[in-house]
Amino acid sequence: ERRPETDLRGAFHDREGHLRPARKHIERLDVGGRPVDIRLGTWLDNTRRRAGKLTPERRAELDRLGMRW
């Protein structure tokens, strides 16, 4: 199952060319015709802090997008 963060990470990376948004960065996602704000910067920062708990597949996905650990 794909999570909204997966699409947002890819969209942010495609648009900005990196995966290093400011911690307070918010992306807006359209979910069922409704705008939903996702705290992408916070999510990525928390993911970095919990890197040891990620599955190898998840970490590889982030590595492909240029995740800065």
Side-chain angles (χ1 to χ4, degrees):
E1 173 183 327
R2 289 185 67 88
R3 296 186 241 184
E5 292 87 0
T6 302
D7 296 331
L8 280 177
R9 287 187 314 251
F12 181 88
H13 181 269
D14 290 348
R15 186 180 70 241
E16 303 294 330
H18 62 82
L19 201 56
R20 297 178 308 276
R23 179 155 172 76
K24 293 184 178 184
H25 180 79
I26 296 174
E27 287 279 312
R28 182 156 283 185
L29 183 66
D30 182 32
V31 177
R34 289 186 16 234
V36 176
D37 289 341
I38 304 289
R39 296 178 180 158
L40 185 62
T42 300
W43 187 88
L44 285 167
D45 189 55
N46 290 340
T47 298
R48 286 182 190 102
R49 295 172 193 268
R50 298 178 186 125
K53 296 179 181 180
L54 296 175
T55 65
E57 295 82 13
R58 192 81 145 143
R59 185 154 179 144
E61 177 186 357
L62 291 168
D63 284 340
R64 282 191 295 276
L65 290 175
M67 178 73 154
R68 183 187 66 195
W69 300 101

